[in-house]
């Protein structure tokens, strides 16, 4: 695996790959890698792409400076994992390489409701920072396919909208959420859970799976939401939201016949660690890319 810190070096290598007829599959990450990240690399490889990963803890998407400071950083561990997963190039730029002083690269698209609900409500500015870094990285890497996890469902929905609005012909591939055996979605933030909170955290997945059963049984979503919030409280977590939404518009869905593609999304604090998760409750048509 090649490791690049400079854009020019990465781009020279990417040009060679293209000249040799290879397609590029790109997975942007913030490091502290786990099996969820590696699944993106493996999916890219299986699709015949040359897998390229970036590790960049993007300061502009952290609304909380303390969260940024405490975000886990473990480059040696990450490099070793990527080697085993078949990653061919790792891009690890510093902040000045991505945001050269004096240049304003901010993406200022108005995503309307997509950035206002759920995560947008609790993390002001987060999605503008995320869209900015994803656009910047895509302009650098110019991949054929972009691999992202369903784990961050709202993020993926916004990136899909950004690609469409900017007319970028990059295929977005949504990869399923990889979970621990007890259902907890893998996340770099899980490393910061206390043993007590690690034991409580699977309540997110429990609440989501119970919500799916209730939804398919025709129970109104307002009731399902109340039950889910109670499940999270009872487990010792502090939920911020539990929403049942249309998977494209992120508008609330009132009952099971109201939309063909329905997703339940949750965010909750486990001690001082904020966790998110989601589950598709119903999907009756092929997802748009
Ligand atoms: P992050 O490093 O948390 O910014 O995540 C980088 C990419 O990995 C994003 O596309 C995430 O959605 C994806 N990802 C993170 N956790 C998981 C997981 N448990 N399963 C699948 N994909 C994941």
């Amino acid at each position: 695996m090649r490791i690049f810190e400079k854009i020019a070096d990465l781009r020279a290598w990417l040009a060679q790959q293209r000249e040799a007829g290879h397609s590029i599959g790109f997975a942007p990450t913030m490091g502290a890698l786990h099996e969820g990240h590696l699944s993106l690399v493996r999916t890219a490889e299986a699709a015949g792409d040359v897998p390229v990963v970036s590790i960049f803890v993007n300061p502009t998407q952290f609304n909380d400076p303390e969260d940024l400071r405490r975000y886990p950083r473990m480059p040696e561990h990450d490099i070793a994992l990527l080697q085993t997963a078949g990653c061919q190039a790792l891009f690890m730029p510093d902040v000045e390489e991505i945001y050269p002083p004096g240049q304003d690269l901010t993406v200022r698209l108005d995503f309307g409701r997509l950035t206002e609900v759920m995560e947008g409500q609790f993390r002001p500015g987060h999605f503008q920072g995320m869209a900015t870094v994803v656009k910047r990285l895509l302009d650098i890497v110019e991949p054929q396919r972009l691999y992202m996890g369903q784990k961050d469902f709202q993020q993926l929905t916004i990136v899909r909208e950004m690609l469409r609005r900017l007319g970028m012909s990059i295929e977005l591939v949504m990869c399923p959420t990889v979970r621990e055996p007890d259902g907890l979605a893998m996340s770099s933030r899980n490393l910061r859970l206390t043993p007590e909170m690690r034991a409580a955290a699977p309540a997110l997945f429990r609440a989501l799976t119970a919500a799916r059963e209730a939804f398919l049984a025709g129970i109104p979503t307002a009731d399902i939401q109340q039950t889910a919030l109670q499940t999270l409280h009872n487990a010792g977590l502090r939920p911020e939201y539990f929403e049942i939404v249309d998977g494209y518009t992120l508008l609330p869905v009132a009952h099971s016949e109201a939309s063909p593609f329905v997703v339940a999304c949750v965010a909750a604090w486990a001690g001082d660690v904020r966790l998110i998760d989601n589950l598709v409750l119903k999907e009756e048509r092929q997802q748009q890319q």
Side-chain angles (χ1 to χ4, degrees), residues 11-39:
R11 285 182 61 86
W13 182 85
L14 287 168
Q16 284 171 12
Q17 299 302 309
R18 285 192 197 92
E19 262 163 45
H22 299 307
S23 59
I24 306 298
F26 178 48
T29 82
M30 298 204 299
L33 302 181
H34 50 67
E35 201 47 47
H37 298 111
L38 300 187
S39 76

CSV table of all heavy atoms in Angstrom, one decimal, residues 11-39:
chain,number,residue,atom,x,y,z
A,11,ARG,N,-1.9,12.4,-6.7
A,11,ARG,CA,-2.5,12.6,-8.1
A,11,ARG,C,-1.6,12.0,-9.2
A,11,ARG,O,-2.1,11.5,-10.1
A,11,ARG,CB,-2.8,14.1,-8.3
A,11,ARG,CG,-4.1,14.5,-7.6
A,11,ARG,CD,-4.5,15.9,-7.9
A,11,ARG,NE,-4.8,16.1,-9.3
A,11,ARG,CZ,-6.0,15.9,-9.8
A,11,ARG,NH1,-7.0,15.5,-9.1
A,11,ARG,NH2,-6.2,16.2,-11.1
A,12,ALA,N,-0.3,12.1,-9.0
A,12,ALA,CA,0.6,11.5,-9.9
A,12,ALA,C,0.4,9.9,-10.0
A,12,ALA,O,0.4,9.3,-11.0
A,12,ALA,CB,2.1,11.8,-9.6
A,13,TRP,N,0.3,9.3,-8.8
A,13,TRP,CA,0.1,7.9,-8.7
A,13,TRP,C,-1.3,7.5,-9.3
A,13,TRP,O,-1.4,6.5,-10.0
A,13,TRP,CB,0.2,7.5,-7.2
A,13,TRP,CG,0.0,6.0,-7.0
A,13,TRP,CD1,0.9,5.0,-7.1
A,13,TRP,CD2,-1.2,5.3,-6.7
A,13,TRP,NE1,0.4,3.8,-6.8
A,13,TRP,CE2,-1.0,4.0,-6.5
A,13,TRP,CE3,-2.5,5.8,-6.4
A,13,TRP,CZ2,-1.9,3.0,-6.2
A,13,TRP,CZ3,-3.5,4.8,-6.1
A,13,TRP,CH2,-3.2,3.4,-6.0
A,14,LEU,N,-2.3,8.3,-9.0
A,14,LEU,CA,-3.7,8.0,-9.5
A,14,LEU,C,-3.7,8.1,-11.0
A,14,LEU,O,-4.3,7.3,-11.7
A,14,LEU,CB,-4.7,9.1,-9.0
A,14,LEU,CG,-5.1,8.9,-7.5
A,14,LEU,CD1,-5.8,10.1,-7.0
A,14,LEU,CD2,-5.9,7.6,-7.3
A,15,ALA,N,-2.9,9.0,-11.6
A,15,ALA,CA,-2.8,9.2,-13.1
A,15,ALA,C,-2.3,7.9,-13.7
A,15,ALA,O,-2.7,7.4,-14.7
A,15,ALA,CB,-2.0,10.4,-13.4
A,16,GLN,N,-1.2,7.4,-13.0
A,16,GLN,CA,-0.6,6.1,-13.5
A,16,GLN,C,-1.7,5.0,-13.5
A,16,GLN,O,-1.7,4.1,-14.4
A,16,GLN,CB,0.5,5.7,-12.6
A,16,GLN,CG,1.8,6.4,-12.7
A,16,GLN,CD,2.8,6.1,-11.6
A,16,GLN,OE1,2.6,5.1,-10.9
A,16,GLN,NE2,3.8,6.9,-11.5
A,17,GLN,N,-2.5,4.9,-12.4
A,17,GLN,CA,-3.5,3.9,-12.3
A,17,GLN,C,-4.5,4.0,-13.4
A,17,GLN,O,-4.9,3.0,-14.0
A,17,GLN,CB,-4.2,4.0,-10.9
A,17,GLN,CG,-3.4,3.8,-9.7
A,17,GLN,CD,-2.6,2.5,-9.7
A,17,GLN,OE1,-3.2,1.4,-9.9
A,17,GLN,NE2,-1.3,2.5,-9.6
A,18,ARG,N,-4.9,5.2,-13.7
A,18,ARG,CA,-5.9,5.4,-14.8
A,18,ARG,C,-5.3,5.0,-16.1
A,18,ARG,O,-5.9,4.4,-17.0
A,18,ARG,CB,-6.3,6.9,-14.8
A,18,ARG,CG,-7.3,7.2,-13.7
A,18,ARG,CD,-8.0,8.5,-13.8
A,18,ARG,NE,-8.6,8.9,-12.6
A,18,ARG,CZ,-8.0,9.6,-11.7
A,18,ARG,NH1,-6.8,10.2,-11.9
A,18,ARG,NH2,-8.5,9.8,-10.5
A,19,GLU,N,-4.0,5.4,-16.3
A,19,GLU,CA,-3.4,5.1,-17.6
A,19,GLU,C,-3.3,3.6,-17.8
A,19,GLU,O,-3.4,3.1,-18.9
A,19,GLU,CB,-1.9,5.6,-17.6
A,19,GLU,CG,-1.8,7.0,-18.4
A,19,GLU,CD,-0.5,7.7,-18.0
A,19,GLU,OE1,0.5,7.0,-18.0
A,19,GLU,OE2,-0.6,8.9,-17.7
A,20,ALA,N,-3.2,2.9,-16.7
A,20,ALA,CA,-3.1,1.4,-16.7
A,20,ALA,C,-4.5,0.8,-16.9
A,20,ALA,O,-4.7,-0.4,-16.9
A,20,ALA,CB,-2.4,0.8,-15.5
A,21,GLY,N,-5.5,1.7,-17.0
A,21,GLY,CA,-6.9,1.2,-17.2
A,21,GLY,C,-7.7,0.9,-16.0
A,21,GLY,O,-8.8,0.3,-16.1
A,22,HIS,N,-7.2,1.3,-14.8
A,22,HIS,CA,-7.9,0.9,-13.6
A,22,HIS,C,-8.9,2.0,-13.2
A,22,HIS,O,-8.7,3.2,-13.5
A,22,HIS,CB,-6.9,0.8,-12.4
A,22,HIS,CG,-5.9,-0.3,-12.6
A,22,HIS,ND1,-6.3,-1.6,-12.9
A,22,HIS,CD2,-4.6,-0.3,-12.6
A,22,HIS,CE1,-5.2,-2.3,-13.0
A,22,HIS,NE2,-4.1,-1.6,-12.8
A,23,SER,N,-10.0,1.6,-12.6
A,23,SER,CA,-11.0,2.5,-12.0
A,23,SER,C,-10.7,2.7,-10.5
A,23,SER,O,-10.2,1.8,-9.9
A,23,SER,CB,-12.4,2.0,-12.2
A,23,SER,OG,-12.5,0.7,-11.5
A,24,ILE,N,-11.0,3.9,-10.0
A,24,ILE,CA,-10.7,4.2,-8.6
A,24,ILE,C,-11.9,4.2,-7.8
A,24,ILE,O,-13.0,4.8,-8.1
A,24,ILE,CB,-10.1,5.7,-8.6
A,24,ILE,CG1,-8.9,5.8,-9.5
A,24,ILE,CG2,-9.7,6.0,-7.1
A,24,ILE,CD1,-7.7,4.9,-9.2
A,25,GLY,N,-11.8,3.5,-6.6
A,25,GLY,CA,-12.9,3.4,-5.7
A,25,GLY,C,-12.4,4.1,-4.4
A,25,GLY,O,-11.4,3.7,-3.8
A,26,PHE,N,-13.2,5.1,-4.0
A,26,PHE,CA,-12.7,6.0,-2.9
A,26,PHE,C,-13.5,5.9,-1.6
A,26,PHE,O,-14.8,6.0,-1.7
A,26,PHE,CB,-12.6,7.4,-3.4
A,26,PHE,CG,-12.1,8.4,-2.3
A,26,PHE,CD1,-11.0,8.2,-1.6
A,26,PHE,CD2,-12.8,9.6,-2.1
A,26,PHE,CE1,-10.6,9.1,-0.6
A,26,PHE,CE2,-12.4,10.5,-1.2
A,26,PHE,CZ,-11.3,10.3,-0.4
A,27,ALA,N,-12.9,5.7,-0.5
A,27,ALA,CA,-13.6,5.7,0.8
A,27,ALA,C,-13.0,6.8,1.8
A,27,ALA,O,-11.9,6.5,2.3
A,27,ALA,CB,-13.6,4.3,1.5
A,28,PRO,N,-13.6,7.9,2.0
A,28,PRO,CA,-13.1,8.9,2.9
A,28,PRO,C,-13.4,8.5,4.3
A,28,PRO,O,-14.5,8.0,4.6
A,28,PRO,CB,-13.8,10.2,2.5
A,28,PRO,CG,-15.0,9.8,1.7
A,28,PRO,CD,-14.8,8.4,1.2
A,29,THR,N,-12.4,8.6,5.3
A,29,THR,CA,-12.7,8.3,6.7
A,29,THR,C,-11.9,9.3,7.6
A,29,THR,O,-11.2,10.1,7.1
A,29,THR,CB,-12.1,6.9,7.0
A,29,THR,OG1,-10.7,7.0,7.3
A,29,THR,CG2,-12.3,5.9,5.9
A,30,MET,N,-12.3,9.2,8.8
A,30,MET,CA,-11.5,10.0,9.8
A,30,MET,C,-10.6,9.2,10.7
A,30,MET,O,-10.2,9.6,11.8
A,30,MET,CB,-12.5,10.8,10.7
A,30,MET,CG,-13.4,11.8,9.8
A,30,MET,SD,-14.0,13.1,10.7
A,30,MET,CE,-15.1,12.3,11.9
A,31,GLY,N,-10.3,7.9,10.3
A,31,GLY,CA,-9.4,7.1,11.0
A,31,GLY,C,-10.0,6.4,12.2
A,31,GLY,O,-11.2,6.3,12.3
A,32,ALA,N,-9.1,5.9,13.0
A,32,ALA,CA,-9.5,4.9,14.1
A,32,ALA,C,-10.3,3.8,13.5
A,32,ALA,O,-11.5,3.6,13.9
A,32,ALA,CB,-10.2,5.7,15.2
A,33,LEU,N,-9.7,3.2,12.5
A,33,LEU,CA,-10.5,2.3,11.6
A,33,LEU,C,-10.9,1.0,12.3
A,33,LEU,O,-10.3,0.5,13.2
A,33,LEU,CB,-9.6,2.0,10.4
A,33,LEU,CG,-9.2,3.2,9.6
A,33,LEU,CD1,-8.4,2.7,8.4
A,33,LEU,CD2,-10.4,4.1,9.1
A,34,HIS,N,-12.0,0.5,11.8
A,34,HIS,CA,-12.6,-0.8,12.3
A,34,HIS,C,-13.2,-1.5,11.1
A,34,HIS,O,-13.1,-1.1,9.9
A,34,HIS,CB,-13.6,-0.5,13.4
A,34,HIS,CG,-14.7,0.5,13.0
A,34,HIS,ND1,-15.6,0.3,12.0
A,34,HIS,CD2,-14.9,1.8,13.4
A,34,HIS,CE1,-16.3,1.4,11.8
A,34,HIS,NE2,-15.9,2.3,12.7
A,35,GLU,N,-13.8,-2.6,11.4
A,35,GLU,CA,-14.3,-3.5,10.3
A,35,GLU,C,-15.3,-2.8,9.4
A,35,GLU,O,-15.5,-3.1,8.2
A,35,GLU,CB,-14.9,-4.8,11.0
A,35,GLU,CG,-15.1,-6.0,10.2
A,35,GLU,CD,-13.8,-6.4,9.3
A,35,GLU,OE1,-12.7,-6.4,9.9
A,35,GLU,OE2,-14.0,-6.6,8.2
A,36,GLY,N,-16.1,-1.8,10.0
A,36,GLY,CA,-17.0,-1.0,9.1
A,36,GLY,C,-16.3,-0.3,8.0
A,36,GLY,O,-16.7,-0.4,6.8
A,37,HIS,N,-15.2,0.3,8.3
A,37,HIS,CA,-14.4,1.0,7.3
A,37,HIS,C,-13.8,0.0,6.3
A,37,HIS,O,-13.8,0.2,5.1
A,37,HIS,CB,-13.2,1.8,7.9
A,37,HIS,CG,-13.6,2.9,8.9
A,37,HIS,ND1,-13.4,2.8,10.3
A,37,HIS,CD2,-14.2,4.1,8.7
A,37,HIS,CE1,-13.8,3.9,10.8
A,37,HIS,NE2,-14.4,4.7,9.9
A,38,LEU,N,-13.3,-1.1,6.9
A,38,LEU,CA,-12.7,-2.1,6.0
A,38,LEU,C,-13.7,-2.7,5.0
A,38,LEU,O,-13.3,-3.1,3.9
A,38,LEU,CB,-12.0,-3.2,6.8
A,38,LEU,CG,-10.9,-2.7,7.8
A,38,LEU,CD1,-10.2,-3.9,8.4
A,38,LEU,CD2,-9.9,-1.8,7.1
A,39,SER,N,-14.9,-2.8,5.4
A,39,SER,CA,-15.9,-3.3,4.5
A,39,SER,C,-16.1,-2.4,3.3
A,39,SER,O,-16.4,-2.9,2.2
A,39,SER,CB,-17.3,-3.5,5.2
A,39,SER,OG,-17.9,-2.2,5.4
